[in-house]
Tab-separated table of all heavy atoms in Angstrom:
chain	number	residue	atom	x	y	z
G	9	MET	N	0.844	-1.180	0.000
G	9	MET	CA	0.000	0.000	0.000
G	9	MET	C	0.888	1.241	0.000
G	9	MET	O	1.867	1.319	0.723
G	9	MET	CB	-0.917	-0.019	1.224
G	9	MET	CG	-1.719	1.254	1.330
G	9	MET	SD	-3.110	1.239	2.458
G	9	MET	CE	-2.367	1.000	4.027
G	10	LEU	N	0.519	2.216	-0.838
G	10	LEU	CA	1.242	3.476	-0.857
G	10	LEU	C	0.694	4.389	0.224
G	10	LEU	O	-0.513	4.533	0.383
G	10	LEU	CB	1.090	4.149	-2.217
G	10	LEU	CG	1.633	3.381	-3.412
G	10	LEU	CD1	1.311	4.107	-4.692
G	10	LEU	CD2	3.122	3.176	-3.279
G	11	THR	N	1.590	5.000	0.954
G	11	THR	CA	1.145	5.926	2.001
G	11	THR	C	1.942	7.204	1.914
G	11	THR	O	3.035	7.250	1.347
G	11	THR	CB	1.322	5.324	3.396
G	11	THR	OG1	2.698	4.999	3.585
G	11	THR	CG2	0.481	4.069	3.563
G	12	ARG	N	1.387	8.246	2.494
G	12	ARG	CA	2.050	9.531	2.534
G	12	ARG	C	1.760	10.133	3.898
G	12	ARG	O	0.612	10.185	4.325
G	12	ARG	CB	1.483	10.409	1.409
G	12	ARG	CG	2.146	11.738	1.270
G	12	ARG	CD	1.633	12.484	0.030
G	12	ARG	NE	0.350	13.101	0.307
G	12	ARG	CZ	-0.749	12.914	-0.399
G	12	ARG	NH1	-0.730	12.127	-1.444
G	12	ARG	NH2	-1.870	13.504	-0.092
G	13	SER	N	2.779	10.570	4.596
G	13	SER	CA	2.571	11.124	5.924
G	13	SER	C	3.375	12.405	6.085
G	13	SER	O	4.583	12.383	5.843
G	13	SER	CB	2.996	10.114	6.982
G	13	SER	OG	2.800	10.646	8.269
G	14	PRO	N	2.740	13.518	6.431
G	14	PRO	CA	1.303	13.674	6.635
G	14	PRO	C	0.582	13.608	5.296
G	14	PRO	O	1.190	13.729	4.243
G	14	PRO	CB	1.189	15.061	7.260
G	14	PRO	CG	2.361	15.813	6.726
G	14	PRO	CD	3.461	14.779	6.585
G	15	ASN	N	-0.718	13.430	5.343
G	15	ASN	CA	-1.511	13.219	4.136
G	15	ASN	C	-2.509	14.362	3.932
G	15	ASN	O	-3.708	14.180	4.076
G	15	ASN	CB	-2.244	11.878	4.245
G	15	ASN	CG	-2.897	11.485	2.946
G	15	ASN	OD1	-2.737	12.138	1.935
G	15	ASN	ND2	-3.644	10.406	2.983
G	16	PRO	N	-2.049	15.579	3.585
G	16	PRO	CA	-2.977	16.688	3.400
G	16	PRO	C	-3.788	16.532	2.103
G	16	PRO	O	-3.353	15.891	1.156
G	16	PRO	CB	-2.076	17.915	3.321
G	16	PRO	CG	-0.783	17.386	2.802
G	16	PRO	CD	-0.669	15.979	3.346
G	17	HIS	N	-4.966	17.129	2.105
G	17	HIS	CA	-5.837	17.093	0.936
G	17	HIS	C	-5.211	17.932	-0.181
G	17	HIS	O	-4.780	19.057	0.052
G	17	HIS	CB	-7.204	17.663	1.328
G	17	HIS	CG	-8.244	17.452	0.297
G	17	HIS	ND1	-8.539	18.395	-0.648
G	17	HIS	CD2	-9.043	16.404	0.050
G	17	HIS	CE1	-9.498	17.936	-1.433
G	17	HIS	NE2	-9.824	16.743	-1.033
G	18	LEU	N	-5.170	17.415	-1.399
G	18	LEU	CA	-4.519	18.109	-2.511
G	18	LEU	C	-5.457	18.383	-3.677
G	18	LEU	O	-5.024	18.429	-4.825
G	18	LEU	CB	-3.326	17.281	-3.011
G	18	LEU	CG	-2.185	17.102	-2.016
G	18	LEU	CD1	-1.148	16.159	-2.586
G	18	LEU	CD2	-1.566	18.428	-1.681
G	19	ALA	N	-6.735	18.579	-3.436
G	19	ALA	CA	-7.690	18.740	-4.524
G	19	ALA	C	-7.324	19.878	-5.472
G	19	ALA	O	-7.465	19.755	-6.675
G	19	ALA	CB	-9.090	18.962	-3.971
G	20	PHE	N	-6.862	20.990	-4.968
G	20	PHE	CA	-6.512	22.118	-5.818
G	20	PHE	C	-5.001	22.360	-5.834
G	20	PHE	O	-4.552	23.408	-6.257
G	20	PHE	CB	-7.236	23.384	-5.351
G	20	PHE	CG	-8.720	23.320	-5.578
G	20	PHE	CD1	-9.586	23.297	-4.515
G	20	PHE	CD2	-9.241	23.277	-6.859
G	20	PHE	CE1	-10.954	23.243	-4.723
G	20	PHE	CE2	-10.607	23.227	-7.079
G	20	PHE	CZ	-11.462	23.209	-6.003
G	21	GLY	N	-4.223	21.402	-5.396
G	21	GLY	CA	-2.778	21.552	-5.396
G	21	GLY	C	-2.296	22.473	-4.288
G	21	GLY	O	-3.043	22.856	-3.404
G	22	ALA	N	-1.033	22.805	-4.353
G	22	ALA	CA	-0.447	23.662	-3.320
G	22	ALA	C	0.773	24.364	-3.895
G	22	ALA	O	1.343	23.942	-4.898
G	22	ALA	CB	-0.063	22.834	-2.107
G	23	GLY	N	1.170	25.450	-3.265
G	23	GLY	CA	2.369	26.167	-3.683
G	23	GLY	C	2.267	26.658	-5.110
G	23	GLY	O	1.250	27.201	-5.529
G	24	THR	N	3.322	26.443	-5.893
G	24	THR	CA	3.336	26.917	-7.281
G	24	THR	C	2.355	26.161	-8.167
G	24	THR	O	2.040	26.598	-9.266
G	24	THR	CB	4.746	26.805	-7.890
G	24	THR	OG1	5.153	25.445	-7.820
G	24	THR	CG2	5.722	27.690	-7.154
G	25	HIS	N	1.869	25.015	-7.687
G	25	HIS	CA	0.931	24.212	-8.474
G	25	HIS	C	-0.509	24.433	-8.041
G	25	HIS	O	-1.395	23.674	-8.420
G	25	HIS	CB	1.273	22.727	-8.353
G	25	HIS	CG	2.634	22.419	-8.877
G	25	HIS	ND1	2.913	22.387	-10.224
G	25	HIS	CD2	3.795	22.174	-8.241
G	25	HIS	CE1	4.205	22.117	-10.390
G	25	HIS	NE2	4.750	21.987	-9.203
G	26	PHE	N	-0.777	25.462	-7.253
G	26	PHE	CA	-2.129	25.741	-6.789
G	26	PHE	C	-2.991	26.175	-7.969
G	26	PHE	O	-2.583	26.990	-8.798
G	26	PHE	CB	-2.121	26.832	-5.715
G	26	PHE	CG	-3.464	27.069	-5.108
G	26	PHE	CD1	-4.000	26.158	-4.215
G	26	PHE	CD2	-4.210	28.179	-5.443
G	26	PHE	CE1	-5.243	26.353	-3.652
G	26	PHE	CE2	-5.460	28.394	-4.880
G	26	PHE	CZ	-5.976	27.480	-3.988
G	27	CYS	N	-4.188	25.658	-8.041
G	27	CYS	CA	-5.120	25.974	-9.130
G	27	CYS	C	-5.627	27.406	-8.987
G	27	CYS	O	-6.218	27.774	-7.971
G	27	CYS	CB	-6.287	24.997	-9.096
G	27	CYS	SG	-7.539	25.347	-10.325
G	28	LEU	N	-5.423	28.220	-10.013
G	28	LEU	CA	-5.867	29.607	-9.962
G	28	LEU	C	-7.387	29.735	-9.970
G	28	LEU	O	-7.943	30.731	-9.523
G	28	LEU	CB	-5.281	30.388	-11.137
G	28	LEU	CG	-3.766	30.527	-11.147
G	28	LEU	CD1	-3.303	31.227	-12.411
G	28	LEU	CD2	-3.296	31.282	-9.913
G	29	GLY	N	-8.084	28.726	-10.461
G	29	GLY	CA	-9.539	28.767	-10.502
G	29	GLY	C	-10.202	28.214	-9.251
G	29	GLY	O	-11.429	28.193	-9.156
G	30	ALA	N	-9.415	27.770	-8.266
G	30	ALA	CA	-9.974	27.145	-7.069
G	30	ALA	C	-10.991	28.017	-6.346
G	30	ALA	O	-12.076	27.527	-5.994
G	30	ALA	CB	-8.852	26.718	-6.126
G	31	PRO	N	-10.723	29.305	-6.099
G	31	PRO	CA	-11.738	30.115	-5.400
G	31	PRO	C	-13.055	30.214	-6.176
G	31	PRO	O	-14.132	30.158	-5.583
G	31	PRO	CB	-11.080	31.487	-5.268
G	31	PRO	CG	-9.612	31.224	-5.363
G	31	PRO	CD	-9.481	30.055	-6.295
G	32	LEU	N	-12.985	30.323	-7.498
G	32	LEU	CA	-14.187	30.393	-8.318
G	32	LEU	C	-14.968	29.076	-8.244
G	32	LEU	O	-16.196	29.076	-8.100
G	32	LEU	CB	-13.835	30.712	-9.766
G	32	LEU	CG	-14.994	30.745	-10.747
G	32	LEU	CD1	-15.995	31.831	-10.364
G	32	LEU	CD2	-14.485	30.971	-12.159
G	33	VAL	N	-14.270	27.957	-8.322
G	33	VAL	CA	-14.920	26.649	-8.264
G	33	VAL	C	-15.583	26.447	-6.907
G	33	VAL	O	-16.708	25.954	-6.823
G	33	VAL	CB	-13.905	25.524	-8.559
G	33	VAL	CG1	-14.508	24.164	-8.301
G	33	VAL	CG2	-13.413	25.628	-9.993
G	34	ARG	N	-14.907	26.825	-5.835
G	34	ARG	CA	-15.496	26.690	-4.500
G	34	ARG	C	-16.757	27.549	-4.365
G	34	ARG	O	-17.765	27.108	-3.812
G	34	ARG	CB	-14.475	27.073	-3.434
G	34	ARG	CG	-13.398	26.037	-3.261
G	34	ARG	CD	-12.498	26.403	-2.085
G	34	ARG	NE	-11.458	25.415	-1.936
G	34	ARG	CZ	-10.165	25.655	-2.079
G	34	ARG	NH1	-9.742	26.870	-2.346
G	34	ARG	NH2	-9.280	24.687	-1.922
G	35	GLN	N	-16.705	28.779	-4.867
G	35	GLN	CA	-17.857	29.667	-4.777
G	35	GLN	C	-19.021	29.133	-5.617
G	35	GLN	O	-20.167	29.102	-5.163
G	35	GLN	CB	-17.483	31.070	-5.237
G	35	GLN	CG	-18.614	32.063	-5.090
G	35	GLN	CD	-18.205	33.458	-5.533
G	35	GLN	OE1	-17.268	33.626	-6.307
G	35	GLN	NE2	-18.906	34.459	-5.055
G	36	ALA	N	-18.740	28.693	-6.826
G	36	ALA	CA	-19.784	28.156	-7.700
G	36	ALA	C	-20.392	26.891	-7.095
G	36	ALA	O	-21.614	26.686	-7.142
G	36	ALA	CB	-19.223	27.863	-9.087
G	37	GLY	N	-19.563	26.041	-6.524
G	37	GLY	CA	-20.058	24.821	-5.880
G	37	GLY	C	-20.969	25.129	-4.707
G	37	GLY	O	-22.014	24.497	-4.534
G	38	ALA	N	-20.580	26.111	-3.894
G	38	ALA	CA	-21.405	26.500	-2.746
G	38	ALA	C	-22.756	27.043	-3.217
G	38	ALA	O	-23.800	26.702	-2.649
G	38	ALA	CB	-20.673	27.535	-1.895
G	39	LEU	N	-22.755	27.862	-4.265
G	39	LEU	CA	-24.011	28.401	-4.798
G	39	LEU	C	-24.893	27.288	-5.371
G	39	LEU	O	-26.109	27.283	-5.181
G	39	LEU	CB	-23.727	29.450	-5.872
G	39	LEU	CG	-23.142	30.765	-5.378
G	39	LEU	CD1	-22.706	31.627	-6.560
G	39	LEU	CD2	-24.138	31.502	-4.516
G	40	LEU	N	-24.274	26.354	-6.071
G	40	LEU	CA	-25.013	25.242	-6.649
G	40	LEU	C	-25.671	24.400	-5.562
G	40	LEU	O	-26.862	24.091	-5.632
G	40	LEU	CB	-24.090	24.364	-7.494
G	40	LEU	CG	-24.686	23.031	-7.933
G	40	LEU	CD1	-25.688	23.260	-9.054
G	40	LEU	CD2	-23.609	22.079	-8.356
G	41	LEU	N	-24.910	24.022	-4.543
G	41	LEU	CA	-25.458	23.178	-3.484
G	41	LEU	C	-26.552	23.894	-2.703
G	41	LEU	O	-27.578	23.302	-2.374
G	41	LEU	CB	-24.335	22.715	-2.550
G	41	LEU	CG	-23.320	21.772	-3.189
G	41	LEU	CD1	-22.182	21.485	-2.232
G	41	LEU	CD2	-23.978	20.487	-3.650
G	42	ARG	N	-26.359	25.175	-2.425
G	42	ARG	CA	-27.382	25.947	-1.721
G	42	ARG	C	-28.653	26.032	-2.573
G	42	ARG	O	-29.760	25.852	-2.074
G	42	ARG	CB	-26.870	27.346	-1.390
G	42	ARG	CG	-27.853	28.162	-0.557
G	42	ARG	CD	-27.333	29.542	-0.203
G	42	ARG	NE	-26.046	29.477	0.455
G	42	ARG	CZ	-24.923	30.054	-0.012
G	42	ARG	NH1	-24.950	30.755	-1.128
G	42	ARG	NH2	-23.796	29.942	0.648
G	43	GLY	N	-28.491	26.298	-3.858
G	43	GLY	CA	-29.642	26.387	-4.753
G	43	GLY	C	-30.406	25.077	-4.854
G	43	GLY	O	-31.640	25.060	-4.843
G	44	LEU	N	-29.680	23.966	-4.944
G	44	LEU	CA	-30.342	22.657	-4.992
G	44	LEU	C	-31.122	22.388	-3.711
G	44	LEU	O	-32.251	21.905	-3.741
G	44	LEU	CB	-29.315	21.543	-5.208
G	44	LEU	CG	-28.864	21.298	-6.633
G	44	LEU	CD1	-27.714	20.312	-6.664
G	44	LEU	CD2	-30.013	20.802	-7.483
G	45	ALA	N	-30.505	22.692	-2.563
G	45	ALA	CA	-31.162	22.451	-1.273
G	45	ALA	C	-32.408	23.314	-1.112
G	45	ALA	O	-33.412	22.869	-0.552
G	45	ALA	CB	-30.183	22.704	-0.132
G	46	GLU	N	-32.368	24.547	-1.615
G	46	GLU	CA	-33.535	25.427	-1.511
G	46	GLU	C	-34.653	25.000	-2.462
G	46	GLU	O	-35.822	25.015	-2.105
G	46	GLU	CB	-33.132	26.872	-1.797
G	46	GLU	CG	-32.299	27.493	-0.694
G	46	GLU	CD	-31.746	28.862	-1.058
G	46	GLU	OE1	-31.952	29.332	-2.206
G	46	GLU	OE2	-31.084	29.461	-0.196
G	47	ARG	N	-34.283	24.608	-3.665
G	47	ARG	CA	-35.302	24.243	-4.658
G	47	ARG	C	-35.885	22.852	-4.419
G	47	ARG	O	-37.058	22.597	-4.690
G	47	ARG	CB	-34.695	24.304	-6.059
G	47	ARG	CG	-35.714	24.023	-7.122
G	47	ARG	CD	-35.224	24.384	-8.480
G	47	ARG	NE	-36.269	24.070	-9.456
G	47	ARG	CZ	-36.148	24.240	-10.736
G	47	ARG	NH1	-35.042	24.753	-11.222
G	47	ARG	NH2	-37.116	23.917	-11.550
G	48	PHE	N	-35.056	21.938	-3.913
G	48	PHE	CA	-35.482	20.558	-3.673
G	48	PHE	C	-35.182	20.188	-2.222
G	48	PHE	O	-34.199	19.489	-1.945
G	48	PHE	CB	-34.757	19.598	-4.619
G	48	PHE	CG	-34.942	19.904	-6.071
G	48	PHE	CD1	-33.942	20.529	-6.796
G	48	PHE	CD2	-36.124	19.570	-6.719
G	48	PHE	CE1	-34.108	20.807	-8.141
G	48	PHE	CE2	-36.300	19.845	-8.070
G	48	PHE	CZ	-35.288	20.465	-8.781
G	49	PRO	N	-36.010	20.616	-1.266
G	49	PRO	CA	-35.712	20.372	0.141
G	49	PRO	C	-35.664	18.893	0.517
G	49	PRO	O	-35.056	18.535	1.524
G	49	PRO	CB	-36.830	21.097	0.892
G	49	PRO	CG	-37.811	21.539	-0.112
G	49	PRO	CD	-37.222	21.394	-1.464
G	50	ALA	N	-36.257	18.020	-0.291
G	50	ALA	CA	-36.249	16.590	0.011
G	50	ALA	C	-35.126	15.853	-0.717
G	50	ALA	O	-35.136	14.623	-0.783
G	50	ALA	CB	-37.598	15.971	-0.350
G	51	ILE	N	-34.138	16.565	-1.256
G	51	ILE	CA	-33.055	15.932	-2.011
G	51	ILE	C	-32.297	14.927	-1.131
G	51	ILE	O	-32.003	15.192	0.033
G	51	ILE	CB	-32.094	16.994	-2.597
G	51	ILE	CG1	-31.142	16.362	-3.606
G	51	ILE	CG2	-31.332	17.708	-1.515
G	51	ILE	CD1	-30.323	17.395	-4.377
G	52	ARG	N	-32.036	13.743	-1.689
G	52	ARG	CA	-31.339	12.682	-0.966
G	52	ARG	C	-30.519	11.860	-1.953
G	52	ARG	O	-30.881	11.741	-3.111
G	52	ARG	CB	-32.330	11.722	-0.282
G	52	ARG	CG	-33.224	12.342	0.756
G	52	ARG	CD	-32.447	12.650	2.034
G	52	ARG	NE	-33.308	13.233	3.030
G	52	ARG	CZ	-33.456	14.542	3.237
G	52	ARG	NH1	-32.836	15.399	2.483
G	52	ARG	NH2	-34.245	14.986	4.183
G	53	ALA	N	-29.454	11.258	-1.461
G	53	ALA	CA	-28.737	10.264	-2.261
G	53	ALA	C	-29.651	9.062	-2.405
G	53	ALA	O	-30.440	8.759	-1.507
G	53	ALA	CB	-27.438	9.873	-1.578
G	54	ASP	N	-29.579	8.365	-3.526
G	54	ASP	CA	-30.517	7.255	-3.743
G	54	ASP	C	-30.077	5.963	-3.076
G	54	ASP	O	-30.734	4.951	-3.200
G	54	ASP	CB	-30.780	7.038	-5.231
G	54	ASP	CG	-29.678	6.263	-5.928
G	54	ASP	OD1	-28.590	6.104	-5.361
G	54	ASP	OD2	-29.908	5.808	-7.058
G	55	GLY	N	-28.995	5.955	-2.363
G	55	GLY	CA	-28.538	4.764	-1.649
G	55	GLY	C	-27.420	4.021	-2.358
G	55	GLY	O	-26.692	3.258	-1.750
G	56	ALA	N	-27.275	4.229	-3.663
G	56	ALA	CA	-26.184	3.585	-4.396
G	56	ALA	C	-24.872	4.301	-4.074
G	56	ALA	O	-24.850	5.521	-3.935
G	56	ALA	CB	-26.457	3.642	-5.894
G	57	PRO	N	-23.778	3.571	-3.943
G	57	PRO	CA	-22.503	4.232	-3.665
G	57	PRO	C	-22.049	5.061	-4.868
G	57	PRO	O	-22.372	4.731	-6.011
G	57	PRO	CB	-21.537	3.075	-3.402
G	57	PRO	CG	-22.151	1.900	-4.072
G	57	PRO	CD	-23.638	2.123	-4.043
G	58	PRO	N	-21.323	6.140	-4.636
G	58	PRO	CA	-20.819	6.937	-5.756
G	58	PRO	C	-19.855	6.112	-6.617
G	58	PRO	O	-19.137	5.261	-6.109
G	58	PRO	CB	-20.095	8.104	-5.102
G	58	PRO	CG	-20.123	7.861	-3.643
G	58	PRO	CD	-20.927	6.659	-3.352
G	59	ALA	N	-19.874	6.359	-7.907
G	59	ALA	CA	-18.962	5.673	-8.827
G	59	ALA	C	-17.876	6.654	-9.243
G	59	ALA	O	-18.165	7.715	-9.785
G	59	ALA	CB	-19.725	5.180	-10.054
G	60	TRP	N	-16.631	6.308	-8.972
G	60	TRP	CA	-15.509	7.170	-9.316
G	60	TRP	C	-15.054	6.903	-10.743
G	60	TRP	O	-15.096	5.770	-11.222
G	60	TRP	CB	-14.358	6.941	-8.348
G	60	TRP	CG	-14.709	7.406	-6.971
G	60	TRP	CD1	-15.197	6.634	-5.947
G	60	TRP	CD2	-14.651	8.732	-6.476
G	60	TRP	NE1	-15.445	7.423	-4.850
G	60	TRP	CE2	-15.116	8.712	-5.146
G	60	TRP	CE3	-14.274	9.945	-7.022
G	60	TRP	CZ2	-15.194	9.856	-4.365
G	60	TRP	CZ3	-14.347	11.084	-6.234
G	60	TRP	CH2	-14.804	11.033	-4.926
G	61	ALA	N	-14.639	7.937	-11.446
G	61	ALA	CA	-14.113	7.797	-12.804
G	61	ALA	C	-12.848	6.942	-12.739
G	61	ALA	O	-12.104	7.007	-11.749
G	61	ALA	CB	-13.809	9.164	-13.401
G	62	PRO	N	-12.577	6.134	-13.753
G	62	PRO	CA	-11.442	5.219	-13.717
G	62	PRO	C	-10.098	5.882	-14.024
G	62	PRO	O	-9.268	5.330	-14.728
G	62	PRO	CB	-11.801	4.176	-14.779
G	62	PRO	CG	-12.605	4.940	-15.769
G	62	PRO	CD	-13.385	5.949	-14.961
G	63	VAL	N	-9.901	7.083	-13.526
G	63	VAL	CA	-8.625	7.774	-13.674
G	63	VAL	C	-8.184	8.255	-12.307
G	63	VAL	O	-9.003	8.498	-11.426
G	63	VAL	CB	-8.720	8.979	-14.645
G	63	VAL	CG1	-9.025	8.520	-16.056
G	63	VAL	CG2	-9.745	9.975	-14.179
G	64	LEU	N	-6.905	8.397	-12.119
G	64	LEU	CA	-6.403	8.834	-10.823
G	64	LEU	C	-6.266	10.346	-10.750
G	64	LEU	O	-6.552	10.958	-9.735
G	64	LEU	CB	-5.047	8.159	-10.540
G	64	LEU	CG	-4.453	8.423	-9.171
G	64	LEU	CD1	-5.403	7.956	-8.076
G	64	LEU	CD2	-3.122	7.721	-9.039
G	65	VAL	N	-5.824	10.964	-11.847
G	65	VAL	CA	-5.616	12.409	-11.834
G	65	VAL	C	-6.382	13.027	-12.984
G	65	VAL	O	-6.159	12.648	-14.128
G	65	VAL	CB	-4.112	12.742	-11.968
G	65	VAL	CG1	-3.885	14.236	-12.000
G	65	VAL	CG2	-3.336	12.112	-10.828
G	66	PRO	N	-7.288	13.942	-12.816
G	66	PRO	CA	-7.813	14.341	-11.522
G	66	PRO	C	-8.865	13.342	-11.064
G	66	PRO	O	-9.668	12.855	-11.877
G	66	PRO	CB	-8.452	15.693	-11.786
G	66	PRO	CG	-8.893	15.619	-13.207
G	66	PRO	CD	-7.877	14.730	-13.891
G	67	ARG	N	-8.873	13.017	-9.788
G	67	ARG	CA	-9.870	12.100	-9.247
G	67	ARG	C	-11.214	12.809	-9.271
G	67	ARG	O	-11.346	13.947	-8.829
G	67	ARG	CB	-9.521	11.708	-7.813
G	67	ARG	CG	-10.452	10.650	-7.277
G	67	ARG	CD	-9.930	10.091	-5.982
G	67	ARG	NE	-10.704	8.921	-5.619
G	67	ARG	CZ	-11.309	8.779	-4.452
G	67	ARG	NH1	-11.202	9.709	-3.541
G	67	ARG	NH2	-12.004	7.702	-4.192
G	68	ARG	N	-12.216	12.147	-9.814
G	68	ARG	CA	-13.528	12.774	-9.927
G	68	ARG	C	-14.627	11.720	-9.934
G	68	ARG	O	-14.396	10.563	-10.278
G	68	ARG	CB	-13.612	13.630	-11.170
G	68	ARG	CG	-13.458	12.846	-12.447
G	68	ARG	CD	-13.380	13.779	-13.651
G	68	ARG	NE	-13.198	13.058	-14.875
G	68	ARG	CZ	-12.022	12.714	-15.380
G	68	ARG	NH1	-10.917	13.045	-14.759
G	68	ARG	NH2	-11.936	12.057	-16.517
G	69	LEU	N	-15.809	12.168	-9.567
G	69	LEU	CA	-16.965	11.286	-9.590
G	69	LEU	C	-17.398	11.051	-11.029
G	69	LEU	O	-17.461	11.982	-11.828
G	69	LEU	CB	-18.133	11.914	-8.829
G	69	LEU	CG	-18.106	11.795	-7.331
G	69	LEU	CD1	-19.249	12.590	-6.734
G	69	LEU	CD2	-18.153	10.366	-6.882
G	70	GLY	N	-17.671	9.808	-11.348
G	70	GLY	CA	-18.238	9.485	-12.643
G	70	GLY	C	-19.749	9.504	-12.570
G	70	GLY	O	-20.431	9.873	-13.520
G	71	GLU	N	-20.283	9.124	-11.390
G	71	GLU	CA	-21.732	9.084	-11.215
G	71	GLU	C	-22.075	9.151	-9.733
G	71	GLU	O	-21.439	8.505	-8.911
G	71	GLU	CB	-22.280	7.799	-11.804
G	71	GLU	CG	-23.780	7.661	-11.741
G	71	GLU	CD	-24.250	6.395	-12.434
G	71	GLU	OE1	-24.417	6.413	-13.659
G	71	GLU	OE2	-24.419	5.388	-11.707
G	72	PHE	N	-23.059	9.966	-9.401
G	72	PHE	CA	-23.585	10.038	-8.041
G	72	PHE	C	-25.072	10.325	-8.158
G	72	PHE	O	-25.476	11.437	-8.508
G	72	PHE	CB	-22.892	11.146	-7.241
G	72	PHE	CG	-23.348	11.217	-5.814
G	72	PHE	CD1	-23.088	10.183	-4.936
G	72	PHE	CD2	-24.050	12.314	-5.356
G	72	PHE	CE1	-23.505	10.241	-3.628
G	72	PHE	CE2	-24.471	12.387	-4.038
G	72	PHE	CZ	-24.199	11.332	-3.175
G	73	ARG	N	-25.872	9.313	-7.953
G	73	ARG	CA	-27.312	9.426	-8.158
G	73	ARG	C	-27.994	10.043	-6.955
G	73	ARG	O	-27.679	9.720	-5.817
G	73	ARG	CB	-27.902	8.065	-8.449
G	73	ARG	CG	-27.399	7.510	-9.755
G	73	ARG	CD	-28.001	6.166	-10.031
G	73	ARG	NE	-27.481	5.653	-11.275
G	73	ARG	CZ	-28.202	5.009	-12.160
G	73	ARG	NH1	-29.472	4.767	-11.926
G	73	ARG	NH2	-27.660	4.586	-13.261
G	74	ILE	N	-28.952	10.930	-7.249
G	74	ILE	CA	-29.724	11.577	-6.191
G	74	ILE	C	-31.208	11.514	-6.528
G	74	ILE	O	-31.595	11.317	-7.678
G	74	ILE	CB	-29.315	13.054	-6.001
G	74	ILE	CG1	-29.487	13.841	-7.303
G	74	ILE	CG2	-27.898	13.164	-5.476
G	74	ILE	CD1	-29.286	15.322	-7.160
G	75	ARG	N	-32.027	11.661	-5.488
G	75	ARG	CA	-33.477	11.774	-5.647
G	75	ARG	C	-33.857	13.192	-5.267
G	75	ARG	O	-33.483	13.672	-4.205
G	75	ARG	CB	-34.201	10.774	-4.736
G	75	ARG	CG	-33.974	9.347	-5.119
G	75	ARG	CD	-34.832	8.436	-4.253
G	75	ARG	NE	-34.466	7.065	-4.468
G	75	ARG	CZ	-35.012	6.273	-5.393
G	75	ARG	NH1	-35.945	6.751	-6.177
G	75	ARG	NH2	-34.624	5.030	-5.526
G	76	LEU	N	-34.588	13.845	-6.141
G	76	LEU	CA	-34.971	15.228	-5.892
G	76	LEU	C	-36.255	15.360	-5.080
G	76	LEU	O	-36.535	16.400	-4.530
G	76	LEU	CB	-35.115	15.987	-7.214
G	76	LEU	CG	-33.839	16.059	-8.053
G	76	LEU	CD1	-34.117	16.766	-9.355
G	76	LEU	CD2	-32.729	16.741	-7.288
G	77	SER	N	-37.044	14.300	-4.998
G	77	SER	CA	-38.280	14.386	-4.209
G	77	SER	C	-38.479	13.117	-3.429
G	77	SER	O	-37.807	12.149	-3.584
G	77	SER	CB	-39.473	14.620	-5.111
G	77	SER	OG	-39.596	13.586	-6.062
């Protein structure tokens, strides 16, 4: 098993490799999630586990099913 210690989160990189769009993505994500929660108050995951895309970099969800009502 590969390990790294300490193991900080690297979603947007760090130092000279920090993503310049990270603040915009975080803000847009927050607005999206707030809007979904307000428009669909009964939103829930459908119980199926999330499916990750078969690539390591960038790690991303391939599918995450939700129920809006």
Side-chain angles (χ1 to χ4, degrees):
M9 175 166 64
L10 299 175
T11 58
R12 184 174 80 235
S13 180
N15 190 5
H17 191 265
L18 295 174
F20 292 114
T24 58
H25 298 286
F26 186 74
C27 177
L28 296 176
L32 177 62
V33 171
R34 287 186 181 116
Q35 183 179 22
L39 290 171
L40 169 75
L41 293 174
R42 185 179 305 120
L44 278 172
E46 289 172 357
R47 184 167 180 182
F48 303 103
I51 191 171
R52 298 286 180 265
D54 80 346
W60 293 96
V63 295
L64 185 59
V65 178
R67 186 169 190 234
R68 63 187 178 272
L69 280 174
E71 183 176 276
F72 183 66
R73 295 180 181 220
I74 58 172
R75 293 185 189 270
L76 299 177
S77 58

